[in-house]
Amino acid sequence: MNIPKSSLENFATAQADGSATLSTPPAACRLLPTHVGMGAFLLSEVAFFSTLITTYIVFLRQTKGSNPSPATVFHLPLVLTATGCLVASSATVHFAARAFRNGNRAGFLGWWGLTIVLGATFIACTAKEWSDLIGRWGLTISRNLFGSTYFTLVGFHATHVTVGLMILSIFWVLALRKRLDNSSHVGVEIVSWYWHFVDSVWIVVFSLVYLIGR
């Protein structure tokens, strides 16, 4: 993998030899069409999850009174473990993106791979929770209002995490095979944006479903 030097470092070098001008800011400071497209996509995702979260809030009183109720079926230590993994993965993907910018291939592979492991652990915890809810408590998406709102909100978030894991895995394999080059830093950056987004959404979902909604 031919990882590029930091754009800011390149710019500093160009300033030192006089080849840089005020009209040519470093690439890291320029807003590329890819950044704009990803920003627009994430805004649409914000609107999508806002709708799901608002729906959960509207039916929160009925959800708390459901049988079985959230207070009865949720196993908080399992959810806290999953949440800890996902929050930690935001830090690891940040370190991975920084390692890529600095040309540190081994660091990128390590931090990016750890992000995948943490995200996969989150999905495994979610699968364990769903197995208990369905197998032990008989809670399904069609059981009652609690089941409908819970599986819809948490299910769509888990789907987004799964898609993110697939993209992260593709980038990791490409880096391992040295197929990433100078043009890949934008891709690494926008994938990290997406991952930070799904992590941020989970903080809201966790607070609403497992803390306020119990």
Side-chain angles (χ1 to χ4, degrees):
M1 180 175 62
N2 183 20
I3 296 179
K5 289 177 61 179
S6 165
S7 298
L8 291 174
E9 290 178 357
N10 290 333
F11 185 63
T13 303
Q15 282 187 312
D17 62 20
S19 61
T21 67
L22 292 177
S23 61
T24 56
C29 299
R30 293 199 299 268
L31 198 59
L32 302 175
T34 308
H35 293 130
V36 175
M38 190 61 180
F41 170 73
L42 292 180
L43 284 176
S44 70
E45 290 289 281
V46 168
F48 175 73
F49 276 104
S50 295
T51 302
L52 296 180
I53 290 169
T54 301
T55 302
Y56 200 94
I57 293 173
V58 168
F59 295 110
L60 190 58
R61 178 175 296 180
Q62 295 93 320
T63 296
K64 286 185 174 181
S66 298
N67 182 26
S69 68
T72 302
V73 301
F74 286 149
H75 183 55
L76 207 52
L78 178 67
V79 182
L80 286 173
T81 300
T83 301
C85 288
L86 202 58
V87 171
S89 72
S90 241
T92 57
V93 80
H94 169 75
F95 291 136
R98 188 172 67 178
F100 190 91
R101 288 195 302 272
N102 292 335
N104 182 357
R105 176 172 174 268
F108 172 76
L109 285 171
W111 287 116
W112 201 262
L114 184 56
T115 303
I116 295 172
V117 171
L118 290 170
T121 303
F122 173 84
I123 290 297
C125 290
T126 301
K128 175 66 170 62
E129 179 182 56
W130 285 25
S131 176
D132 290 343
L133 293 178
I134 297 171
R136 180 180 179 187
W137 300 102
L139 183 67
T140 63
I141 195 170
S142 58
R143 168 77 179 268
N144 52 29
L145 190 58
F146 170 39
S148 299
T149 53
Y150 165 80
F151 281 108
T152 301
L153 178 57
V154 176
F156 270 113
H157 179 267
T159 301
H160 280 69
V161 173
T162 302
V163 171
L165 282 174
M166 294 170 64
I167 299 171
L168 287 168
S169 299
I170 291 171
F171 270 74
W172 190 86
V173 171
L174 290 174
L176 186 66
R177 295 182 176 181
K178 301 181 180 180
R179 298 291 182 85
L180 297 183
D181 55 22
N182 294 357
S183 63
S184 304
H185 72 280
V186 176
V188 170
E189 187 176 17
I190 64 172
V191 170
S192 69
W193 286 10
Y194 177 84
W195 196 252
H196 288 312
F197 170 77
V198 296
D199 288 358
S200 301
V201 170
W202 179 251
I203 297 300
V204 178
V205 172
F206 169 76
S207 301
L208 174 61
V209 174
Y210 298 97
L211 299 181
I212 300 172
R214 280 172 64 87

